[in-house]
Amino acid sequence: MIEFIHPADDSEARLRAHLPAEADTVGLGAALAHALQPGLKVWLQGNLGSGKTTLTRGVLRALGHEGKVKSPTYTLIEPYSVSRLNLYHFDFYRFNSPDEYLDAGLDEYFAGGGVCLVEWPQKALPHLPPPDLEIFLQPEADGRRADIIGHTDAGQTCLNELAKALRGANPTPVPD
C-alpha cells in the first residue's frame, strides 16, 4: 500500500509504503533510481537489518550495476558510476566521533554533482550537509515500512517522481 501525504502548506511532502518482502524493498529502490537527479543527498535511516543496503541494491540494479552491492561499513564509501549518475554509497556506522567524517575528507563528495546515499548519517552530524530526501525503514508486522520525506525542493521533486513511479501517473494527495 502506497500513501502519499501532502500537507496543505506545501512543506515536506511524505510518502509511506508497506513493503511485505525483500523484493518490495528492492522494487522501491528501483523506482527511486528513476527519480534521482545529480546532486541529491539521501539519508537512509533505520536499525541494523532494516533494509538500507537492500534499498541501495535496488537503486543500483535499476541503474545498470551488475556487480555486488555491499554496505560500505568498513570502507566508508562505495563509489559507482552508473547510467547517468555518479552515485556514492556511504555508511558511517563505525564512526566513534563525528569528526571522523572531516578527517576522512568526505565533504568533497557532498559538494559535487553525485548522488549521495548515506547510511547512519546521524554519526557524522553536525558536519554532514542536510538531506534532500530522507528514507526511514523499520520492521512492520509482515515486512517493513518505508517513510520518505522530501526536505528540499529537489527532494520533493524526487519524492513526487517516486510517487508517480509507484502509483502510476498523477498520484492522489492524501491530506496530512
Side-chain angles (χ1 to χ4, degrees):
M1 174 182 191
I2 307 297
E3 183 179 10
F4 189 63
I5 304 165
H6 194 72
D9 66 0
D10 244 5
S11 66
E12 295 192 342
R14 298 173 181 257
L15 179 91
R16 177 172 291 153
H18 177 69
L19 309 167
E22 182 175 327
D24 298 305
T25 304
V26 171
L28 176 62
L32 176 61
H34 300 292
L36 293 175
Q37 294 299 317
L40 278 176
K41 291 151 194 69
V42 181
W43 288 9
L44 304 174
Q45 303 274 22
N47 292 329
L48 289 170
S50 63
K52 298 178 298 291
T53 300
T54 301
L55 180 82
T56 301
R57 184 178 343 112
V59 169
L60 289 165
R61 291 283 183 265
L63 293 172
H65 178 74
E66 296 177 2
K68 289 183 90 175
V69 176
K70 57 184 174 133
S71 180
T73 303
Y74 294 101
T75 59
L76 298 181
I77 179 173
E78 288 288 336
Y80 301 91
S81 289
V82 287
S83 182
R84 58 186 169 51
L85 299 170
N86 288 322
L87 189 139
Y88 306 107
H89 181 199
F90 296 91
D91 186 331
F92 300 142
Y93 177 74
R94 297 220 175 267
F95 278 5
N96 293 312
S97 162
D99 291 340
E100 291 180 57
Y101 170 82
L102 297 176
D103 294 342
L106 299 174
D107 50 331
E108 66 190 53
Y109 289 98
F110 291 87
V115 172
C116 297
L117 299 177
V118 185
E119 296 186 32
W120 301 97
Q122 67 275 18
K123 298 269 199 155
L125 292 176
H127 307 301
L128 191 64
D132 296 299
L133 194 69
E134 195 166 14
I135 302 173
F136 296 87
L137 296 166
Q138 63 184 16
E140 180 179 75
D142 58 343
R144 61 178 56 107
R145 185 176 81 206
D147 288 296
I148 307 166
I149 304 169
H151 291 292
T152 65
D153 288 345
Q156 289 186 35
T157 298
C158 180
L159 184 70
N160 288 331
E161 291 303 312
L162 174 60
K164 287 177 189 176
L166 291 172
R167 297 181 72 188
N170 303 318
T172 305
V174 175
D176 195 14

